[in-house]
Amino acid sequence: MKVYHLYLIRDDIAKSYFGREHLLFDLFVRFTRARSLSDKKMLYKQIQYITKPLPQLKLHHRVEQSLLSSHLYKRAVNVHTLSSASGDVCGTLTIKPQYAILESVGNLEVEMIFFEILRKNEMTFLAMEYTAEQCGWLNPIKQERKYV
């Protein structure tokens, strides 16, 4: 099972940290591993500063509209579930106010479907998979070249 935490990063921060996502990932890892309350508060404030709240209604609507035609799609309040006909592939997308969680079992098919829907709606989603220590943008930011 893979579990991805998806955060919507502020545009200016995303542009500044493109190519250096590992620094953002490190911040989130330090937050999850922080023992003292003072460290956790300080890291939480930093995370609040660099992230944007998720447009929940918009995302729920877009996910539902994209997957409604599939008879293998189900929705319960804030959770969207998609499974394969054979049942060996399954994924759930839980949309919370500050982040989303994508849990998937099986191959990458369900992950890619959810990632594609999210990518089309917001430009600066950063996905993090803590157990594999990986992170990446759903929609890579094109860097502008500045000629002097």
Side-chain angles (χ1 to χ4, degrees), residues 62-81:
R62 296 289 167 91
V63 171
E64 195 168 30
Q65 291 302 311
S66 298
L67 300 175
L68 202 54
S69 62
S70 173
H71 66 282
L72 301 171
Y73 167 73
K74 293 178 185 154
R75 178 179 176 190
V77 189
N78 292 330
V79 180
H80 302 269
T81 304

Side-chain angles (χ1 to χ4, degrees), residues 67-115:
L67 300 175
L68 202 54
S69 62
S70 173
H71 66 282
L72 301 171
Y73 167 73
K74 293 178 185 154
R75 178 179 176 190
V77 189
N78 292 330
V79 180
H80 302 269
T81 304
L82 185 62
S83 56
S84 67
S86 61
D88 59 342
V89 178
C90 180
T92 59
L93 177 67
T94 307
I95 300 174
K96 299 183 176 197
Q98 284 301 121
Y99 63 97
I101 298 174
L102 173 60
E103 299 172 292
S104 69
V105 175
N107 64 22
L108 300 175
E109 180 183 359
V110 173
E111 292 173 25
M112 291 300 118
I113 292 170
F114 281 124
F115 284 160

Side-chain angles (χ1 to χ4, degrees), residues 35-146:
R35 298 275 185 227
S36 73
L37 187 59
S38 62
D39 287 347
K40 209 140 180 94
K41 281 183 182 179
M42 179 192 63
L43 294 168
Y44 181 74
K45 285 181 184 180
Q46 291 176 359
I47 289 172
Q48 288 295 105
Y49 179 76
I50 67 168
T51 60
K52 298 189 292 190
L54 296 183
Q56 288 182 284
L57 291 175
K58 177 183 166 186
L59 290 176
H60 284 302
H61 178 73
R62 296 289 167 91
V63 171
E64 195 168 30
Q65 291 302 311
S66 298
L67 300 175
L68 202 54
S69 62
S70 173
H71 66 282
L72 301 171
Y73 167 73
K74 293 178 185 154
R75 178 179 176 190
V77 189
N78 292 330
V79 180
H80 302 269
T81 304
L82 185 62
S83 56
S84 67
S86 61
D88 59 342
V89 178
C90 180
T92 59
L93 177 67
T94 307
I95 300 174
K96 299 183 176 197
Q98 284 301 121
Y99 63 97
I101 298 174
L102 173 60
E103 299 172 292
S104 69
V105 175
N107 64 22
L108 300 175
E109 180 183 359
V110 173
E111 292 173 25
M112 291 300 118
I113 292 170
F114 281 124
F115 284 160
E116 186 64 22
I117 294 167
L118 295 174
R119 183 187 72 78
K120 287 181 179 177
N121 290 289
E122 293 292 334
M123 299 298 290
T124 59
F125 265 114
L126 183 65
M128 291 178 262
E129 214 271 304
Y130 294 116
T131 55
E133 295 185 0
Q134 295 178 333
C135 72
W137 302 103
L138 295 189
N139 198 6
I141 302 155
K142 293 181 181 173
Q143 294 295 309
E144 298 173 9
R145 288 198 169 149
K146 296 183 181 180

